[in-house]
Amino acid sequence: MATAQAKTAAEYLPARRTLPALTAAVQFCRGCDLYAHATQAVFGEGPASARVVMIGEVPGDREDLQGHPFVGPAGRILDRALAEAGIERSDVYVTNAVKHFKFEPRGKRRIHKKPNAAEIRACRPWLEAECFAVHPEVIVCLGATAAQSILGPKYRLTQEHGNFVEHPWAPHVTSTIHPSAILRAPDEDRRHAQYRELVEDLAKVRAVLRAS
Ligand code: URA
Ligand code: SF4
């Protein structure tokens, strides 16, 4: 008896998996239901020669409207932390675990919602294809959703962040706090501590790049 296969993005991937071909094809993905309410798919961006791939969760409101990853408030924190850690922006390709904005309408606003396990799994073929196309030395999971997608549901980011593991997609994979978590910090002290943690973890990424 055939088992029902969960829907995924796999059948929407193009035969040629260059970044431009993937970027064009993702707009036609129907691998899960998130495409239906989003403005567009937001694919990763950055040079194909990037040494680092950074994976966020899902595009936010601004990213959905503009069509580019990390162009909103979380992106500003990430850019600042990268600069402080001494990582060149030209060494970085940024993307998300899930490519279509997930939200709940609340009046005129659209409130970000966390993608569920099925959506993360459905979107993973895009992430895998772009990681293979970029072929980075280091992959950085920003937050638990990215870590869940590539390191599995048992991975504990709070304990493991800043450590490096080997992975089929890159020789060094690590994780750190999501910049949006810093924006949501309950007070200034927490916010400062979390930001320092992000910069420290990124400094370790820089050390790995220097050594290789
Ligand atoms: N948060 C994410 O995870 N990704 C973005 O692109 C923007 C905000
Ligand atoms: Fe496809 Fe991912 Fe968009 Fe779902 S979120 S439709 S799997 S690109």
Side-chain angles (χ1 to χ4, degrees):
M1 199 176 76
T3 45
Q5 276 283 281
K7 229 168 76 158
T8 82
E11 66 185 278
Y12 299 95
L13 266 72
R16 254 185 98 238
R17 298 189 180 175
T18 59
L19 291 177
L22 292 164
T23 304
V26 74
Q27 295 305 338
F28 303 97
C29 185
R30 304 290 182 261
C32 75
D33 295 333
L34 291 180
Y35 75 88
H37 301 287
T39 308
Q40 57 194 320
V42 179
F43 207 60
E45 287 181 3
S49 60
R51 301 177 69 194
V52 185
V53 168
M54 300 216 155
I55 308 171
E57 182 181 68
V58 64
D61 183 77
R62 292 277 290 280
E63 288 78 16
D64 171 77
L65 294 172
Q66 294 184 25
H68 305 290
F70 283 103
V71 289
R76 278 194 291 282
I77 295 200
L78 181 60
D79 284 345
R80 205 175 101 200
L82 282 169
E84 220 173 301
I87 298 176
E88 300 283 342
R89 212 58 187 68
S90 60
D91 275 339
V92 181
Y93 178 94
V94 286
T95 189
N96 285 298
V98 171
K99 311 303 194 216
H100 276 102
F101 182 36
K102 183 176 183 183
F103 62 95
E104 204 166 80
R106 199 166 301 162
K108 282 186 185 159
R109 295 188 56 210
R110 304 188 299 171
I111 308 298
H112 156 275
K113 280 190 78 179
K114 229 175 137 55
N116 62 36
E119 290 154 351
I120 296 167
R121 192 179 341 102
C123 213
R124 194 171 187 267
W126 293 113
L127 187 60
E128 180 176 30
E130 60 192 338
C131 286
F132 272 72
V134 175
H135 203 69
E137 290 159 54
V138 184
I139 293 176
V140 183
C141 298
L142 299 169
T145 297
Q148 183 179 341
S149 181
I150 90 163
L151 296 165
K154 292 206 185 93
Y155 184 83
R156 290 289 163 260
L157 186 135
T158 43
Q159 285 149 43
E160 293 295 329
H161 73 89
N163 296 339
F164 290 80
V165 294
E166 261 185 73
H167 190 275
W169 298 2
H172 311 281
V173 175
T174 188
S175 70
T176 189
I177 188 167
H178 193 294
S180 295
I182 298 171
L183 290 167
R184 287 192 306 265
D187 56 63
E188 196 48 51
D189 282 356
R190 262 320 275 158
R191 182 157 31 246
H192 183 75
Q194 292 184 337
Y195 178 74
R196 294 318 320 164
E197 192 178 294
L198 173 63
V199 174
E200 273 170 34
D201 287 345
L202 293 179
K204 292 179 191 159
V205 171
R206 186 190 182 220
V208 167
L209 292 176
R210 282 236 159 144
S212 70

